[in-house]
Structure formats: C-alpha cells, structure tokens
Amino acid sequence: MTQAKVGLAIGDRVLGEDGYLVVVQFGRHTVMFETSVGARREVPYNEIKGVPVCDGRATPVIAALEPWWSGLSAPIRRDALDKLEVVMEVLSGYRAGFARFAQPGEPYSNVSDPGLSETRRCEAMARQLAFERESDRQVLRRVAHGELQSAGVGASTVQTWIRAWRAEGLRGLVDKRATKGRRGFDELDERVREIADDVLARFDGDISKVNTTTIEADIRLQMKADGLSDVVLPQRLFQEYLSERQRALGRSTRAQRSRHLRRKASAHTSFPAMHPSHVAIDATRADVLVWDELRERPVSVEILTAISVATRVVVGLRVTPRSGNALEAGLLLYDVMRPMSMLVDGTTVDDWRWCGVPESLDLSEVAVHRSPKRIIPPGQSLQGVHHKPGVRPSSIRCDHGSVFLSEHFIALLRDFGIDLMLSRGSKPTDNPHVERWHETLQRAYQQLPGYKGRNVAERGRKVDATGDKLLTAPELERHLRRFVALDYHRSWHEGLVLPGAPSARLTPLEMWDAMHEVTGRLHVPQHPDLIYQFLPIRWLTIGHAGVEYKNLVYDAPVLAEFRDVRRGAFQADSRKAPFHYDPRDVSRIWFRHPDTGRIHEIPWKARHLLDMPMGDWMHERALARIAERGGNTALNRKSTWRQIIAELGQLTSAEETAEARAKGYAARLRWEQAQRDHAEAAEAAAMFDGDQDGVVTPLRRRRAEADDGFDLDAEWPDYDEVGD
C-alpha cells in the first residue's frame, strides 16, 4: 500500500497504538499529542505516516502501527475502529474519545454516567449495540446463515474489549480469529531477517549441516553484536521462518551444494532494460506455409524479429528462407536503425517506406486509460501515416545461433559499438520478450491460408484444406509488417508498466514516447547508403576492362578515374579497391567514391541479357556445371558469360533433388529481397539528391514488367541460342 500525503493542524486526530491522539502543539522536531485519558506524548515528525483507509481518504497514523495496520484488510480495520468507538464511549462518554469531537447527543447518560459502575455502563452499551444490530441486514443475514448465534453483543464482550484495549491498545481490538494463519514473515524485523539470511547463506554444501538451535544461537549473537538485543521476536513465527529457509537450502549437504550451483547459474533478476536501444532478436519458423510461384508448391520460411525490450516496439522484421544466414541477420540490424512509415489511404495500405527521423511520434497528449485490450486512441483512426521508429542499438540480446555468432554479424556489432549479450544454452527465459512475441504472431497467422498451428497437436490433416491461395513470402512479410503497425503497436501491452502510474495501460508506441521524455531524441544513422555498411567487402583490382570477380566482369563509368590508381590508394602496398558485395544478387557490386562518399552501382557487363535470379548460390552452381563440362579450357574469353547464362537457365528449369529445390527457392527469395532493398536505397538516394518525388517505397520497380521482375508463367528463354 502506498504512503499518502496528509496535513496536520492543531486539533487534528492521529491514529496511534492506544487509539486516537489529538495534536495540541508543534515543536521543532516533534509533535505533542494528547491521549484520550489526558496524557501527553511527543512523537517525531518522521514517525507520522499517511495511510489510505477503507473509505479512500488518507489518515495519519503513528509509524509504530506500520506495516501491521496497513497489512490488515479493510473490514478488519473497520471492525477494530468500531470496537475502539465502543470502548471510548464507555470510558469517556464520547465515541471519538475527546469532548471536542462530540457527536450529536453525546454523552449518553445511561452509557457514560460516571455515577454508574463500569459493569453497568457495559450492560447499557450492550443493549444499545443489540438494538443497532437488529436493524443491520448484513448482521441478520449472517445470523440466518448460522455464522453468528445472535445479533446482540453481551456485556461481557464489551468488558473483554475494554480489557484488551488497556492491555494492548488498538492491537488488542483486532479480531485474532480473522488474522489467524495470515501472519507473514514480513512481521519479523527486516534487520533480523537479513541477519538470518546471511547466516543461512553459508550453507552451500562446503560446511557441515547443523540444527536449527545452533543457527538461532548464531543469529542472536549477531543481533547482540549489531545492537538489536532489544528487538522482540515472535518465537513461533521466527522458528517457521528458519525452518522454511532451511528447507529451501536442502536436506543434505549434497542437496545444498546442488541448489547453490543452480542458483549461481540462474538469473534472479531481469536485465535492466531502461532504454529503447536495448534490443532482443531471434528467429522462428513461420507457422504458415507460403507459395513458391516458380515451382508452384508450398514451402516454409522463417521470421527474423528485433524488439526494443524496454518498449516492446518491433523495430525490425524480415521473412527469410529456411534458414536465415548472417547477411540477413545483419540486414535485420539495418532495419532496426532506420525509421520507416506506412501510409493507410482508404482501403489501400502501402509497404514500409524510407523516412527521416519521425517528428510525429509524440503521443503524450493521448490518454492512456483504456478498457479494451486492442484500442484506437480517441480522435484517431487507421487512416494516415504509421511510423516504425528506428534506434541505434546499444546492446543486442540473442541466442547462440550460428547466424548471430558469425564473423560478419560480430564485425557489424563491433563497427557500430553494440554490446552482444548471449543467452545461455537451453534457457529460453533469458530472452523472454522475443519468445512471447512468437506467440503473439499467432494472431497474425491464424487468419491466413496455410496456417499449420503452433505444433503438431494443433495441425489439421490438410493444412491447405480451405482452398484459398497461399501468400508468397513477400506478401507474408508485408502482412506481418501491417499487423505490427496497425494492430500490435496500437494495442495495450500488459508487460509495459510506467513508473509512478502502474495502472496505466500503454501501447508499445506510447511507451516509446514516454521514454523519450527521459532519453531525449534517439539519433540513428540516416543516409540512403546505410545498407551498404551491412554488406561484405571484396578487395578487387580495377583494370581497363573493369573489375573481375568469380569469372564475372563488372564495369561502370565511375571507375574510369581509378583504372591506373597508384599502390596504397585504398589498401597498403596494393592497387585493390573495396567493393560492397551482396551474395543475394551477384549481377552487380557497389563502389563508394572516396571523394564524395556516395555509393555507385557497378553492374555485370552481361546483366542486360539476364532475366532471372542470379544469387551467389546460383552462380556457384553454374560455375560447377561449367567445370563438369570441361572448365575454362572449353571456353574462350568472349563466350564465358554466354555459358554462365546458359547454365543458369538450365538450373532454374531442371528437376533436381528436394534439397536443391529448397536451396534454389531460397536463392530466388533472397534475390527478390535484394531487389527491394537496393531499389529502396536507390530511391532514397534520389530523394536525398532532390531528383525524386519524396516518396520511397521498396515495391516500386524500375522495370514495367510484372512485380517480381519477370513473367512467372512464361517459359525460360533458350540462352544457348543467344549470340551464337
């Protein structure tokens, strides 16, 4: 129960151990109180606490009552205060205990007549209480149900209350039957519990086990040394505490040793993610099938997700082939760093678009008290722009997956100064936020055709029994990103708690903005060429015919001034220059101009003749097929590119093993993703240079053909007949 602020003035009442006290004088360090029997008592200011009572108001109490008084339920406290009024009226004539607080009709002569004995006054009070209870329907109902024998209160009961008050004060008026069995260990002095915990912590299996009496003796000796010899210990409760703690240690030294080691290896507290830049990432198999348009068959994909732990905002999400690689993990980090937006116009919803640092994320004026779980803030609708914030991570939490431990991914973290925090093996609780997100994804999957359930127990006999057309992998990614922007980011998240307002219901974006009040604007790298910092680098020599890499020759006009570059211009004792290389699309490489710092695309010379996916895997397979047919001895310089194109055409149309088909689909899916990523970067660069309309979308195509860049229904051309 939280402490409340209260004000005190001369004549105010304060609840103390022996009942109500009245403020009569304020001192420099203390307050002078008067008791109901006329005695004076000084109490320091720091021992007066404000505690909410059952009617919602705050009342001041003496610290000696806490936390015992606040730990009682409201009905028990109300019952004790009612008994206190009875005792005060019998002894003083006034229910409040003081004449200055007299209520109408007080004092009643038959109850408080000083000429009557205390026994007679108790009998009169018992008759008055019986009359009051006969009109109390709740009491009569309890009598009818057998909970009470009668509605009246006997004179002996009133006398018992008076004796209990004189002996124990307010504590004596609390019904012991109502609190029996509810005493918690918090009634023990906190300092004593700390000493006991320190003494018991020594039993880690290295020292012999001793009995409870010896442990208690050690605790009492330490209490005496710390000056706590006057602390009263409830013996029975203290013995229960020691027994419970000993049971937790283990019955034998071997058990104590095992539990000690397990505690050392376990996390007792959560990672203190108090900044939106603490990010957790993970990969999971999508519980929905997607459609392979080329071979017309369903396939499985994976979902890579990055979540800001402190705010639960999904800052990055990608659909990857089975299984994701180090490059895709790095590109997920690229998505995390760049803010993006989504436009809803009527029934049209576009994909994520490049944008600068968003300035419209401040939702501080939006009320956060929501009743339904899934909300739309007042005055808002789904129409308009929805932002996905970006952040430069300060730490990454992930498991020991090979993609996260790869040299490429570790190098990216090192370049950006990001701490890598690895979860322990077989400990999914080390990264619970992403694991819980995987369950949330079920809401996005379940309305899609091809949903196959979270596990085999939920899977139907025919996953595609609905007959609906399956989504492709790009369509699934688009669907999930829309789910994040329009549903998840706008819904109340039960795991978000705002300090100082624990009952406030917050959405992830509202928590993000609340943290902006503390962290300020989060600066992230915002440049259209940002993606190329996440691609591998190849050191190649620029010749008069261009740049050769893996039997492919690349060239562009921008390389003209570097064809005769001196040694050491880019690399010590070498004429090689750095080129960015994307294994998903080897039909081009990228060169960063040393003077301007801008990225320039360097295409493969025969790229204009290629109308099919050409990723690293496809290219390597084509070279392997050429080697099987005689290698370079069977080729001349002018016909090499023709043979590569011919072999690529055969690879895309030949019937191969299931493994080869899966790798072929993965290569094509990665190639398509590369087209979107680089098209988006190119349009962002155009916007950066002022040559574009200000809208950047990865779905915009340079070519006017089908969205995927080639006609899936058409037969592959016979490249053997090209250019002979």
Side-chain angles (χ1 to χ4, degrees):
M1 183 173 293
T2 57
Q3 182 178 327
K5 287 186 177 181
V6 294
L8 285 180
I10 300 296
D12 287 348
R13 289 191 306 170
V14 174
L15 189 63
E17 291 183 283
D18 49 356
Y20 290 113
L21 310 175
V22 175
V23 179
V24 296
Q25 183 180 351
F26 291 104
R28 182 183 295 252
H29 304 292
T30 61
V31 179
M32 182 68 71
F33 290 101
E34 180 180 338
T35 68
S36 59
V37 295
R40 296 290 182 99
R41 180 191 305 172
E42 283 188 316
V43 178
Y45 285 108
N46 60 356
E47 293 188 10
I48 304 174
K49 309 292 182 182
V51 176
V53 294
C54 56
D55 58 1
R57 295 177 300 172
T59 183
V61 300
I62 302 301
L65 285 177
E66 292 300 310
W68 168 78
W69 179 251
S70 296
L72 300 175
S73 64
I76 294 177
R77 293 200 305 269
R78 182 73 268 166
D79 181 66
L81 293 177
D82 290 343
K83 293 176 182 177
L84 180 63
E85 290 183 355
V86 171
V87 172
M88 290 295 101
E89 187 170 4
V90 171
L91 298 182
S92 66
Y94 304 96
R95 279 175 280 181
F98 300 91
R100 69 179 69 185
F101 300 115
Q103 299 184 24
E106 291 184 344
Y108 293 99
S109 58
N110 59 339
V111 174
S112 57
D113 187 352
L116 297 175
S117 66
E118 186 175 297
T119 301
R120 297 299 182 190
R121 295 201 299 273
C122 289
E123 291 174 351
M125 175 56 71
R127 289 193 296 270
Q128 180 176 320
L129 292 176
F131 176 78
E132 293 176 355
R133 286 191 163 203
E134 287 177 356
S135 59
D136 189 335
R137 291 189 176 183
Q138 185 176 1
V139 174
L140 295 177
R141 190 178 296 113
R142 294 180 63 188
V143 173
H145 291 167
E147 297 180 22
L148 298 176
Q149 293 183 354
S150 66
V153 175
S156 60
T157 301
V158 177
Q159 288 180 314
T160 300
W161 292 349
I162 295 175
R163 287 194 298 269
W165 176 80
R166 286 171 173 164
E168 302 180 54
L170 184 61
R171 295 177 185 269
L173 299 179
V174 174
D175 192 344
K176 301 300 187 295
R177 294 170 299 177
T179 59
K180 185 178 180 180
R182 298 184 181 181
R183 299 180 68 189
F185 293 140
D186 56 347
E187 291 191 30
L188 295 173
D189 191 285
E190 183 178 359
R191 296 166 296 177
V192 175
R193 282 184 280 134
E194 290 179 356
I195 293 174
D197 291 343
D198 290 340
V199 171
L200 291 166
R202 299 178 303 180
F203 296 95
D204 57 0
D206 292 339
I207 63 176
S208 300
K209 184 180 178 181
V210 297
N211 57 29
T212 307
T213 304
T214 303
I215 295 175
E216 182 178 354
D218 291 342
I219 295 172
R220 291 189 178 275
L221 286 174
Q222 187 61 44
M223 289 173 57
K224 184 176 181 180
D226 293 348
L228 302 178
S229 56
D230 58 339
V231 175
V232 178
L233 286 178
Q235 187 60 28
R236 183 173 180 178
L237 186 62
F238 185 51
Q239 289 292 330
E240 290 179 2
Y241 181 76
L242 295 182
S243 299
E244 184 68 19
R245 292 288 288 108
Q246 275 193 300
R247 185 196 62 79
L249 289 175
R251 295 184 178 275
S252 63
T253 55
R254 181 175 180 179
Q256 291 173 359
R257 182 62 178 169
S258 298
R259 296 189 182 189
H260 172 73
L261 292 176
R262 285 199 297 271
R263 284 193 297 270
K264 293 282 286 185
S266 299
H268 293 279
T269 58
S270 299
F271 170 65
M274 300 305 296
H275 195 283
S277 63
H278 297 298
V279 175
I281 62 177
D282 199 6
T284 186
R285 183 72 57 84
D287 295 325
V288 62
L289 294 174
V290 300
W291 188 248
D292 180 355
E293 297 174 291
L294 181 60
R295 293 186 171 86
E296 297 185 346
R297 56 188 298 270
V299 293
S300 295
V301 291
E302 286 191 349
I303 311 295
L304 273 173
T305 310
I307 288 183
S308 170
V309 176
T311 65
R312 304 302 198 274
V313 168
V314 175
V315 288
L317 185 146
R318 280 189 176 240
V319 173
T320 67
R322 192 185 62 187
S323 297
N325 55 31
L327 176 65
E328 286 159 337
L331 291 175
L332 177 69
L333 187 60
Y334 162 65
D335 288 341
V336 170
M337 289 192 180
R338 59 192 185 123
M340 294 182 282
S341 64
M342 174 182 291
L343 177 64
V344 178
D345 185 7
T347 59
T348 302
V349 184
D350 70 5
D351 203 349
W352 290 113
R353 307 180 303 172
W354 181 287
C355 67
V357 177
E359 297 293 341
S360 58
L361 285 176
D362 184 10
L363 302 177
S364 57
E365 299 301 322
V366 179
V368 295
H369 47 279
R370 310 278 186 251
S371 52
K373 257 187 161 184
R374 301 169 66 180
I375 57 95
I376 296 179
Q380 297 188 18
S381 70
L382 292 179
Q383 300 297 311
V385 178
H386 300 263
H387 289 288
K388 192 283 295 183
V391 62
R392 180 170 182 164
S394 59
S395 68
I396 292 287
R397 165 76 73 178
C398 60
D399 57 27
H400 287 255
S402 59
V403 296
F404 305 130
L405 297 179
S406 64
E407 181 180 352
H408 174 71
F409 190 73
I410 296 296
L412 286 176
L413 299 184
R414 182 171 57 252
D415 292 343
F416 286 101
I418 302 172
D419 294 331
L420 178 61
M421 305 175 62
L422 294 174
S423 303
R424 296 164 297 167
S426 302
K427 293 287 183 180
T429 53
D430 282 358
N431 203 1
H433 312 94
V434 175
E435 299 295 341
R436 181 59 183 86
W437 161 254
H438 294 163
E439 296 296 329
T440 303
L441 279 175
Q442 300 302 306
R443 265 200 300 129
Y445 294 145
Q446 290 177 2
Q447 301 301 319
L448 297 178
Y451 174 65
K452 54 184 180 179
R454 193 73 178 94
N455 50 55
V456 294
E458 300 176 0
R459 191 163 302 161
R461 188 170 63 91
K462 292 184 178 180
V463 174
D464 56 349
T466 60
D468 296 332
K469 183 179 179 181
L470 299 179
L471 299 183
T472 63
E475 290 172 342
L476 175 62
E477 182 176 274
R478 196 175 309 135
H479 169 78
L480 294 180
R481 288 180 170 182
R482 291 175 181 177
F483 167 77
V484 169
L486 305 182
D487 187 316
Y488 175 75
H489 279 173
R490 301 169 61 90
S491 301
W492 167 39
H493 197 298
E494 297 181 25
L496 296 176
V497 178
L498 190 65
S503 61
R505 297 184 175 184
L506 296 172
T507 68
L509 283 182
E510 287 173 335
M511 190 65 179
W512 183 280
D513 292 313
M515 287 209 162
H516 271 195
E517 301 295 328
V518 179
T519 64
R521 177 63 63 188
L522 304 176
H523 296 286
V524 296
Q526 282 304 292
H527 196 279
D529 295 339
L530 176 64
I531 187 175
Y532 301 101
Q533 293 182 245
F534 296 84
L535 297 181
I537 291 178
R538 299 291 185 266
W539 290 88
L540 307 172
T541 302
I542 304 174
H544 289 282
V547 177
E548 183 175 351
Y549 181 61
K550 290 188 176 181
N551 292 320
L552 301 179
V553 180
Y554 304 85
D555 200 7
V558 71
L559 299 180
E561 59 181 303
F562 302 101
R563 300 192 192 279
D564 295 308
V565 68
R566 62 180 177 82
R567 287 181 177 272
F570 297 99
Q571 189 179 47
D573 299 326
S574 174
R575 289 193 174 91
K576 293 183 177 181
F579 290 84
H580 296 282
Y581 176 78
D582 191 340
R584 303 173 300 169
D585 181 9
V586 300
S587 65
R588 48 185 166 165
I589 56 178
W590 292 266
F591 175 71
R592 187 182 299 276
H593 199 287
D595 297 332
T596 64
R598 297 304 302 274
I599 290 290
H600 297 271
E601 180 181 306
I602 314 298
W604 176 37
K605 283 188 173 183
R607 180 183 173 187
H608 63 286
L609 298 175
L610 185 69
D611 195 23
M612 66 185 67
M614 185 175 172
D616 202 27
W617 180 83
M618 296 287 288
H619 178 228
E620 294 292 343
R621 289 293 304 277
L623 292 179
R625 294 281 290 269
I626 292 174
E628 293 173 2
R629 295 171 54 178
N632 291 335
T633 59
L635 303 174
N636 56 54
R637 185 181 296 257
K638 294 183 179 180
S639 62
T640 302
W641 58 269
R642 300 176 186 173
Q643 290 292 336
I644 291 177
I645 292 178
E647 293 297 339
L648 285 173
Q650 294 176 17
L651 286 172
T652 55
S653 60
E655 289 294 332
E656 301 187 35
T657 64
E659 181 181 3
R661 287 196 300 269
K663 290 183 177 180
Y665 172 74
R668 188 168 61 86
L669 182 57
R670 290 187 171 105
W671 179 83
E672 292 175 349
Q673 181 66 59
Q675 307 313 300
R676 292 192 294 272
D677 287 339
H678 294 299
E680 180 187 49
E683 292 195 56
M687 182 179 66
F688 186 82
D689 295 331
D691 298 332
Q692 209 252 357
D693 57 8
V695 177
V696 176
T697 168
L699 297 183
R700 183 179 294 181
R701 294 288 183 266
R702 293 183 176 184
R703 293 175 291 189
E705 288 86 6
D707 286 345
D708 290 316
F710 54 91
D711 188 357
L712 294 172
D713 297 326
E715 296 292 334
W716 293 108
D718 186 358
Y719 290 98
D720 287 331
E721 300 177 359
V722 178
D724 287 342

